[in-house]
Amino acid sequence: MTAERVLMKGNEALAEAAIRAGCKCYFGYPITPQTEIAAFMAKNMPKRGGTFLQAESEIAAINMVLGAASAGVRVMTSSSSPGISLKSEGISYIAASDLPCVIINVQRGGPGLGGIQPAQSDYWQAVKSGGHGDFHILVFAPNSVQEMADMVVKAFEKADQYRIPAMILSDGMLGQMMEPVVFPEISDKMPEKPWATNGHGNKRKHNIINTLFLQPDELEASVNARSKKYETIVENEQDAEFYLTDDADIVVTGYGAASRICREAVDEARKNGIKAGLLRPKVLWPFPVKDYQKIVPTAKSILCVELSTGQMIDDVKLAVNCSVPVEFYGRTGGNLPSAEEIIKKLAEINDSLS
Amino acid sequence: MKKIYIITGHYGCGKTNLSVNLAVRYSEQGLKTAVADMDIVNPYFRTADFSSLFREKNISFYSTLYANTNLDIPALNFDIEAIIMNHECIILDIGGDDAGAVVVGRYFDTLKRYMSSTEMIYVINRYRETGDDAEEAVRLMREIEQSARISHTGIVNNSNLGRLTAPEDIISSVGFAEKVSELSGIPVLYHTADRNLKCRQLDGLAEYIDIYVKTSFA
């Protein structure tokens, strides 16, 4: 009997939850700070009826994901920033094939090889430029070890539901830190996948999964159909958390590890008489525009905090139609902002409001 | 009398936090104390994070050249013999699992000369993901010993759930620690508890420790 609450690293919790969610194949290549995912999979997949394979490269791994997803199994790969760049061609092919899969990015500092400490500088890559062509992927943003587990389960479900790649955009801090986690009960009933290119004993016409279209009109029809699907996702899958925003003059906004520090800063700022709140996107694509619209009537200012020089801030400005001024505070290089730094910024903004 | 503590265990069981506690305790007792961060496995949350505390407490600190930089190169660049010779209490904070314990094996030729002064402590936490599977804990203990080329002399039960630990969590981990001890034949030295949890139920049962290793946010 395993204890109900378990103390785990974010990377381990995510890997365990993926197996519980029915992930049968994991393909990856080691890179800090996400290597625990691969190590956990290597140890546990063979014991639990799955396949772990360390590919010769990230590019090989993502193409193995394409193959397994085509066959209809739940499949996952994980990497960190430079490795995700290598995977981007494959992600485009998977999106173009309308295949479900889960991709984990435990972000580290960039660009280039950058560093191994936490960062959030792959936001644009995740939500806007995961590869070439007209496509989107679902992007989830956990901010605790518990959510690393919960969101990977959701990512598998939503990926299957919409036949779309889903990404968990995490960071080195969430991957490495330890917190207690409780694993949810997960149904072992997998959705039917009548489109899969698996064996069927001549019971139907064979399925084809393909991304090349010889006629422009055929490609356009395929792109348009996918675009319709994206409209449904944008309508249904926005998600954000509100904390003390009802009467907030300044709404702090940030995702992932940054949001944890923001929440602490909001609590401290309140003690100092600054009416601050927190709006935390839990899904980054589709961006929770509807949730940002809710704060427009009351917020006098928005402070966007990221472990980057400012990427999500563009979407925040668009979400509020620039009707509320949006300020920024960020750290890079693997450094985390302290709550004090954010409180200082909040105090400056608060002074400018009066 | 020289004392060498080699701290081993599963990833995330609390080796580093225990190492820092031991170093502070022995240094405060007046022993000339050294800590060596010999973790070649994990680049996050390590003793190198506490160099300013060590300076303040007059503890010599040694770490790999690349600790807390952006290079995770598994290189050790200090002379363990000199560290042992120059100090009365030496704490070697080892990386997780058998992979981390390889460094102990690498220094076996030096360490074997100090065997009578050496304690190799296996740190356990039943709330980690291997759960309260005592057999699994003993299996890992043996794997570490194979890599380290040294046998454990004691177990420290460091069971905790991070910031959410309650006294009951520690009390209910005692049976697990005793099971690991029974299966391995290695004695439990003590059970740890965060000093902030001090209460009647834990008095006499637990050794109170300070929590140094934590995230910068709640």
Side-chain angles (χ1 to χ4, degrees), chain A residues 179-238:
Chain A
E179 285 178 334
V181 56
V182 179
F183 290 99
E185 285 299 317
I186 296 162
S187 158
D188 54 6
K189 200 165 171 291
M190 290 294 136
E192 293 292 322
K193 294 182 178 176
W195 46 263
T197 53
N198 52 3
H200 53 86
N202 287 325
K203 282 198 215 61
R204 56 164 166 79
K205 208 164 156 280
H206 67 273
N207 288 330
I208 297 173
I209 288 169
N210 168 47
T211 69
L212 176 65
F213 294 88
L214 299 181
Q215 299 299 332
D217 288 346
E218 286 176 21
L219 175 56
E220 187 175 46
S222 153
V223 169
N224 286 344
R226 201 167 298 111
S227 180
K228 274 268 172 250
K229 173 168 83 178
Y230 294 150
E231 284 172 21
T232 311
I233 297 173
V234 168
E235 184 56 32
N236 296 335
E237 302 301 336
Q238 298 182 25

Coordinates of all heavy atoms in Angstrom, one line a residue, chain A residues 179-238:
Chain A
E179 N 6.9 18.5 -3.6 CA 5.7 18.9 -2.8 C 4.9 17.6 -2.8 O 5.0 16.7 -3.6 CB 4.9 19.9 -3.6 CG 5.5 21.3 -3.5 CD 4.6 22.4 -4.2 OE1 3.9 22.0 -5.2 OE2 4.7 23.5 -3.8
P180 N 4.0 17.5 -1.8 CA 3.2 16.3 -1.7 C 2.2 16.3 -2.9 O 1.7 17.4 -3.3 CB 2.4 16.5 -0.4 CG 3.2 17.5 0.4 CD 3.8 18.4 -0.6
V181 N 1.9 15.2 -3.3 CA 0.9 15.0 -4.5 C 0.0 13.9 -4.2 O 0.4 12.9 -3.6 CB 1.7 14.9 -5.8 CG1 2.7 13.7 -5.8 CG2 0.8 14.8 -7.0
V182 N -1.3 14.0 -4.6 CA -2.2 12.9 -4.5 C -2.7 12.6 -5.9 O -3.0 13.5 -6.7 CB -3.5 13.4 -3.7 CG1 -4.5 12.2 -3.6 CG2 -3.1 13.8 -2.3
F183 N -2.6 11.4 -6.3 CA -2.9 11.0 -7.7 C -4.4 10.7 -7.8 O -5.0 10.0 -7.0 CB -2.1 9.8 -8.1 CG -0.7 10.1 -8.3 CD1 0.3 9.8 -7.3 CD2 -0.2 10.8 -9.4 CE1 1.6 10.2 -7.5 CE2 1.1 11.2 -9.6 CZ 2.0 10.9 -8.6
P184 N -5.0 11.3 -8.8 CA -6.4 11.2 -9.0 C -6.8 9.8 -9.5 O -5.9 9.1 -10.2 CB -6.8 12.2 -10.0 CG -5.5 12.4 -10.8 CD -4.4 12.2 -9.9
E185 N -8.0 9.3 -9.2 CA -8.4 8.0 -9.8 C -8.6 8.3 -11.3 O -9.2 9.3 -11.7 CB -9.8 7.6 -9.2 CG -9.6 7.0 -7.8 CD -8.8 5.8 -7.8 OE1 -9.0 4.9 -8.7 OE2 -7.9 5.7 -6.9
I186 N -8.1 7.4 -12.2 CA -8.2 7.7 -13.6 C -8.9 6.5 -14.2 O -8.5 5.3 -13.9 CB -6.8 7.9 -14.2 CG1 -6.2 9.2 -13.6 CG2 -6.9 8.0 -15.7 CD1 -4.8 9.3 -13.8
S187 N -9.9 6.7 -15.1 CA -10.6 5.6 -15.8 C -9.6 4.9 -16.7 O -8.8 5.6 -17.4 CB -11.7 6.2 -16.5 OG -12.1 5.3 -17.6
D188 N -9.6 3.6 -16.7 CA -8.7 3.0 -17.7 C -9.3 2.7 -19.0 O -8.8 2.1 -19.9 CB -8.1 1.7 -17.0 CG -9.2 0.7 -16.6 OD1 -10.4 1.1 -16.8 OD2 -8.9 -0.3 -15.9
K189 N -10.5 3.3 -19.2 CA -11.2 3.1 -20.5 C -10.7 4.2 -21.4 O -10.8 5.4 -21.2 CB -12.7 3.3 -20.2 CG -13.5 2.7 -21.4 CD -15.0 2.6 -21.0 CE -15.9 2.2 -22.2 NZ -15.9 3.3 -23.2
M190 N -10.1 3.7 -22.5 CA -9.5 4.7 -23.4 C -10.5 5.0 -24.5 O -11.3 4.1 -24.9 CB -8.2 4.1 -24.1 CG -7.1 4.0 -23.1 SD -6.5 5.6 -22.6 CE -6.3 5.3 -20.9
P191 N -10.5 6.2 -25.1 CA -11.5 6.6 -26.1 C -11.2 5.7 -27.4 O -10.1 5.3 -27.7 CB -11.2 8.0 -26.4 CG -9.8 8.3 -25.8 CD -9.6 7.3 -24.7
E192 N -12.3 5.5 -28.1 CA -12.1 4.8 -29.4 C -11.4 5.7 -30.4 O -11.5 6.9 -30.4 CB -13.5 4.5 -30.0 CG -14.4 3.5 -29.2 CD -13.8 2.1 -29.3 OE1 -13.3 1.8 -30.4 OE2 -13.8 1.4 -28.3
K193 N -10.5 5.1 -31.2 CA -9.8 5.9 -32.2 C -10.0 5.2 -33.6 O -9.0 4.5 -34.1 CB -8.3 6.0 -31.8 CG -8.1 6.8 -30.5 CD -6.7 6.9 -30.2 CE -6.5 7.8 -28.9 NZ -5.2 7.9 -28.4
P194 N -11.1 5.4 -34.2 CA -11.4 4.7 -35.5 C -10.5 5.2 -36.6 O -10.4 4.5 -37.6 CB -12.9 5.1 -35.7 CG -13.2 6.3 -34.9 CD -12.3 6.2 -33.7
W195 N -9.8 6.3 -36.4 CA -8.9 6.8 -37.4 C -7.5 6.2 -37.4 O -6.7 6.4 -38.3 CB -8.8 8.3 -37.3 CG -8.6 8.8 -35.9 CD1 -9.5 9.2 -35.0 CD2 -7.3 8.7 -35.2 NE1 -9.0 9.4 -33.7 CE2 -7.6 9.2 -33.8 CE3 -6.0 8.4 -35.5 CZ2 -6.6 9.3 -32.9 CZ3 -5.0 8.5 -34.5 CH2 -5.3 8.9 -33.2
A196 N -7.2 5.4 -36.4 CA -5.8 5.0 -36.2 C -5.4 4.0 -37.2 O -6.2 3.2 -37.8 CB -5.7 4.3 -34.8
T197 N -4.1 4.0 -37.6 CA -3.6 3.1 -38.6 C -3.0 1.9 -37.9 O -1.8 1.6 -37.9 CB -2.4 3.8 -39.4 OG1 -1.5 4.4 -38.4 CG2 -2.9 5.0 -40.2
N198 N -3.9 1.2 -37.2 CA -3.5 0.0 -36.6 C -4.1 -1.3 -37.3 O -5.0 -1.1 -38.2 CB -3.9 0.0 -35.1 CG -5.4 0.3 -34.9 OD1 -6.1 0.5 -35.9 ND2 -5.9 0.5 -33.7
G199 N -3.8 -2.4 -36.8 CA -4.3 -3.7 -37.4 C -5.7 -3.8 -37.1 O -6.2 -3.5 -36.0
H200 N -6.5 -4.3 -38.1 CA -8.0 -4.5 -37.9 C -8.5 -5.7 -38.5 O -9.7 -6.0 -38.5 CB -8.7 -3.3 -38.4 CG -8.4 -2.9 -39.8 ND1 -9.0 -3.5 -40.9 CD2 -7.4 -2.1 -40.4 CE1 -8.5 -3.1 -42.0 NE2 -7.5 -2.2 -41.7
G201 N -7.7 -6.6 -39.1 CA -8.1 -7.8 -39.7 C -9.1 -7.7 -40.8 O -10.1 -8.3 -40.8
N202 N -8.9 -6.7 -41.7 CA -9.7 -6.5 -42.9 C -11.1 -6.1 -42.6 O -12.0 -6.3 -43.3 CB -9.7 -7.7 -43.8 CG -8.4 -7.9 -44.5 OD1 -7.8 -6.9 -44.9 ND2 -8.0 -9.1 -44.7
K203 N -11.4 -5.5 -41.4 CA -12.7 -5.2 -41.0 C -13.2 -3.9 -41.6 O -14.3 -3.5 -41.6 CB -12.9 -5.1 -39.5 CG -13.0 -6.5 -38.8 CD -13.5 -6.4 -37.4 CE -13.0 -7.4 -36.5 NZ -11.5 -7.3 -36.3
R204 N -12.3 -3.1 -42.1 CA -12.6 -1.8 -42.6 C -11.6 -1.4 -43.7 O -10.6 -2.1 -43.9 CB -12.6 -0.7 -41.5 CG -11.3 -0.6 -40.8 CD -11.1 0.7 -40.0 NE -10.0 0.6 -39.0 CZ -8.7 0.8 -39.3 NH1 -8.3 1.0 -40.5 NH2 -7.8 0.8 -38.4
K205 N -11.9 -0.3 -44.4 CA -11.0 0.3 -45.3 C -9.7 0.8 -44.6 O -9.8 1.2 -43.4 CB -11.6 1.4 -46.0 CG -11.1 1.7 -47.4 CD -12.1 2.6 -48.2 CE -11.5 3.4 -49.3 NZ -10.7 4.5 -48.9
H206 N -8.5 0.7 -45.2 CA -7.4 1.1 -44.4 C -7.4 2.7 -44.2 O -7.8 3.4 -45.1 CB -6.1 0.7 -45.1 CG -5.8 1.3 -46.4 ND1 -6.3 0.8 -47.6 CD2 -5.1 2.4 -46.7 CE1 -5.9 1.6 -48.6 NE2 -5.2 2.6 -48.1
N207 N -6.8 3.1 -43.1 CA -6.7 4.5 -42.8 C -5.4 5.1 -43.3 O -4.4 4.3 -43.4 CB -6.8 4.7 -41.3 CG -8.1 4.5 -40.7 OD1 -9.1 4.7 -41.3 ND2 -8.2 4.1 -39.4
I208 N -5.4 6.3 -43.7 CA -4.2 7.0 -44.1 C -3.9 8.2 -43.3 O -4.8 9.0 -43.0 CB -4.3 7.4 -45.6 CG1 -4.5 6.2 -46.5 CG2 -3.1 8.2 -46.0 CD1 -4.8 6.5 -47.9
I209 N -2.7 8.3 -42.8 CA -2.3 9.5 -42.1 C -1.2 10.2 -42.9 O -0.2 9.5 -43.2 CB -1.8 9.2 -40.7 CG1 -3.1 8.9 -39.8 CG2 -1.1 10.4 -40.1 CD1 -2.8 8.3 -38.5
N210 N -1.4 11.4 -43.3 CA -0.6 12.0 -44.4 C -0.5 13.5 -44.2 O -1.5 14.1 -43.7 CB -1.2 11.7 -45.7 CG -0.6 12.5 -46.9 OD1 0.6 12.6 -47.0 ND2 -1.5 13.0 -47.7
T211 N 0.6 14.2 -44.5 CA 0.6 15.6 -44.4 C 1.0 16.3 -45.7 O 1.1 17.5 -45.8 CB 1.7 16.1 -43.3 OG1 3.0 15.8 -43.9 CG2 1.5 15.4 -42.0
L212 N 1.1 15.5 -46.8 CA 1.4 16.1 -48.1 C 0.1 16.1 -49.0 O -0.6 15.1 -49.1 CB 2.5 15.2 -48.8 CG 2.8 15.7 -50.2 CD1 3.5 17.0 -50.3 CD2 3.7 14.6 -50.9
F213 N -0.2 17.3 -49.5 CA -1.3 17.4 -50.4 C -0.9 17.9 -51.8 O -0.2 18.9 -51.9 CB -2.3 18.4 -49.8 CG -2.9 17.9 -48.5 CD1 -2.3 18.1 -47.3 CD2 -4.1 17.2 -48.5 CE1 -2.8 17.6 -46.1 CE2 -4.6 16.7 -47.3 CZ -4.0 16.9 -46.1
L214 N -1.2 17.1 -52.8 CA -0.7 17.5 -54.2 C -1.6 18.6 -54.8 O -1.1 19.3 -55.6 CB -0.8 16.2 -55.1 CG 0.1 15.1 -54.5 CD1 0.1 13.9 -55.5 CD2 1.6 15.6 -54.4
Q215 N -2.8 18.8 -54.3 CA -3.7 19.9 -54.9 C -3.8 21.0 -53.9 O -4.2 20.7 -52.7 CB -5.0 19.3 -55.2 CG -5.0 18.2 -56.3 CD -4.5 18.7 -57.6 OE1 -4.6 19.9 -58.0 NE2 -3.9 17.8 -58.4
P216 N -3.6 22.2 -54.3 CA -3.8 23.4 -53.4 C -5.1 23.4 -52.7 O -5.2 23.7 -51.5 CB -3.6 24.6 -54.3 CG -2.8 24.1 -55.4 CD -3.1 22.7 -55.6
D217 N -6.2 23.1 -53.4 CA -7.5 23.1 -52.8 C -7.7 22.1 -51.7 O -8.4 22.3 -50.7 CB -8.6 22.9 -53.9 CG -8.7 24.1 -54.8 OD1 -8.1 25.2 -54.4 OD2 -9.3 24.0 -55.8
E218 N -7.0 20.9 -51.9 CA -7.1 19.9 -50.8 C -6.4 20.3 -49.6 O -6.9 20.1 -48.5 CB -6.5 18.6 -51.3 CG -7.3 17.8 -52.3 CD -6.6 16.6 -52.9 OE1 -5.6 16.1 -52.2 OE2 -6.9 16.1 -54.0
L219 N -5.2 21.0 -49.8 CA -4.5 21.5 -48.6 C -5.3 22.6 -47.9 O -5.4 22.6 -46.7 CB -3.1 22.0 -49.0 CG -2.3 22.7 -47.9 CD1 -2.1 21.7 -46.7 CD2 -0.9 23.1 -48.4
E220 N -5.9 23.5 -48.7 CA -6.7 24.5 -48.1 C -7.9 24.0 -47.3 O -8.2 24.4 -46.2 CB -7.2 25.5 -49.2 CG -7.9 26.7 -48.6 CD -8.2 27.7 -49.6 OE1 -8.8 27.4 -50.7 OE2 -8.0 28.9 -49.4
A221 N -8.5 23.0 -47.9 CA -9.7 22.4 -47.2 C -9.2 21.8 -45.8 O -9.9 21.9 -44.8 CB -10.3 21.3 -48.0
S222 N -8.0 21.1 -45.8 CA -7.5 20.5 -44.6 C -7.2 21.6 -43.6 O -7.5 21.5 -42.4 CB -6.3 19.7 -45.0 OG -5.4 19.6 -43.9
V223 N -6.5 22.7 -44.0 CA -6.1 23.8 -43.1 C -7.4 24.4 -42.6 O -7.5 24.7 -41.4 CB -5.3 24.8 -43.9 CG1 -5.1 26.1 -43.0 CG2 -3.9 24.2 -44.2
N224 N -8.4 24.6 -43.4 CA -9.6 25.3 -42.9 C -10.4 24.4 -41.9 O -11.0 24.9 -41.0 CB -10.6 25.6 -44.1 CG -10.0 26.8 -44.9 OD1 -9.2 27.5 -44.4 ND2 -10.5 27.0 -46.1
A225 N -10.4 23.1 -42.2 CA -11.1 22.2 -41.2 C -10.4 22.3 -39.9 O -11.1 22.3 -38.8 CB -11.0 20.8 -41.8
R226 N -9.1 22.3 -39.9 CA -8.3 22.4 -38.6 C -8.6 23.7 -37.9 O -8.7 23.8 -36.7 CB -6.8 22.2 -38.9 CG -6.0 21.8 -37.7 CD -4.7 21.3 -38.1 NE -4.7 20.1 -39.0 CZ -4.4 20.1 -40.2 NH1 -3.9 21.2 -40.8 NH2 -4.5 19.0 -40.9
S227 N -8.7 24.8 -38.8 CA -9.0 26.1 -38.2 C -10.3 26.1 -37.5 O -10.5 26.8 -36.4 CB -8.9 27.1 -39.4 OG -9.2 28.4 -38.9
K228 N -11.3 25.4 -38.1 CA -12.6 25.3 -37.4 C -12.5 24.7 -36.0 O -13.1 25.1 -35.1 CB -13.6 24.5 -38.3 CG -14.3 25.3 -39.3 CD -15.6 25.7 -38.8 CE -16.3 26.7 -39.7 NZ -16.4 28.1 -39.2
K229 N -11.7 23.6 -36.0 CA -11.5 22.9 -34.8 C -10.9 23.8 -33.7 O -11.3 23.8 -32.6 CB -10.5 21.7 -35.1 CG -10.1 20.9 -33.8 CD -9.4 19.6 -34.2 CE -7.9 19.8 -34.6 NZ -7.3 18.5 -34.9
Y230 N -9.9 24.7 -34.2 CA -9.3 25.6 -33.2 C -10.3 26.6 -32.6 O -10.2 26.9 -31.5 CB -8.2 26.3 -33.9 CG -7.0 25.5 -34.3 CD1 -6.2 25.8 -35.4 CD2 -6.6 24.3 -33.6 CE1 -5.1 25.0 -35.8 CE2 -5.5 23.5 -34.0 CZ -4.8 23.9 -35.1 OH -3.7 23.1 -35.5
E231 N -11.3 27.0 -33.5 CA -12.3 27.9 -33.0 C -13.1 27.2 -31.8 O -13.4 27.9 -30.8 CB -13.3 28.3 -34.1 CG -12.7 29.3 -35.0 CD -13.6 29.5 -36.3 OE1 -14.8 29.2 -36.2 OE2 -13.1 30.0 -37.3
T232 N -13.4 26.0 -31.9 CA -14.1 25.2 -30.9 C -13.2 25.2 -29.6 O -13.7 25.4 -28.5 CB -14.4 23.8 -31.3 OG1 -15.0 23.8 -32.6 CG2 -15.3 23.1 -30.3
I233 N -11.9 24.9 -29.8 CA -11.0 24.8 -28.6 C -10.9 26.2 -27.9 O -11.0 26.3 -26.7 CB -9.6 24.3 -29.1 CG1 -9.8 22.9 -29.7 CG2 -8.7 24.4 -27.9 CD1 -8.5 22.4 -30.3
V234 N -10.8 27.3 -28.7 CA -10.7 28.6 -28.1 C -12.0 28.9 -27.3 O -11.9 29.5 -26.3 CB -10.5 29.7 -29.3 CG1 -10.7 31.1 -28.7 CG2 -9.1 29.5 -29.9
E235 N -13.1 28.5 -27.8 CA -14.4 28.7 -27.1 C -14.4 27.9 -25.8 O -14.9 28.4 -24.8 CB -15.5 28.3 -28.1 CG -16.9 28.6 -27.5 CD -17.1 30.1 -27.2 OE1 -16.5 30.9 -27.8 OE2 -17.9 30.3 -26.2
N236 N -13.9 26.7 -25.8 CA -14.2 25.8 -24.7 C -13.1 25.6 -23.7 O -13.3 25.2 -22.6 CB -14.6 24.4 -25.2 CG -15.8 24.4 -26.0 OD1 -16.7 25.3 -25.8 ND2 -16.0 23.5 -27.0
E237 N -11.9 25.9 -24.1 CA -10.8 25.4 -23.2 C -10.0 26.5 -22.5 O -8.9 26.2 -21.9 CB -9.8 24.5 -24.0 CG -10.5 23.3 -24.7 CD -11.1 22.3 -23.7 OE1 -10.7 22.3 -22.5 OE2 -12.1 21.6 -24.1
Q238 N -10.4 27.7 -22.5 CA -9.7 28.7 -21.7 C -9.9 28.4 -20.2 O -10.9 28.0 -19.8 CB -10.3 30.1 -22.0 CG -10.2 30.5 -23.5 CD -10.7 31.9 -23.8 OE1 -10.8 32.7 -22.9 NE2 -11.1 32.1 -25.1

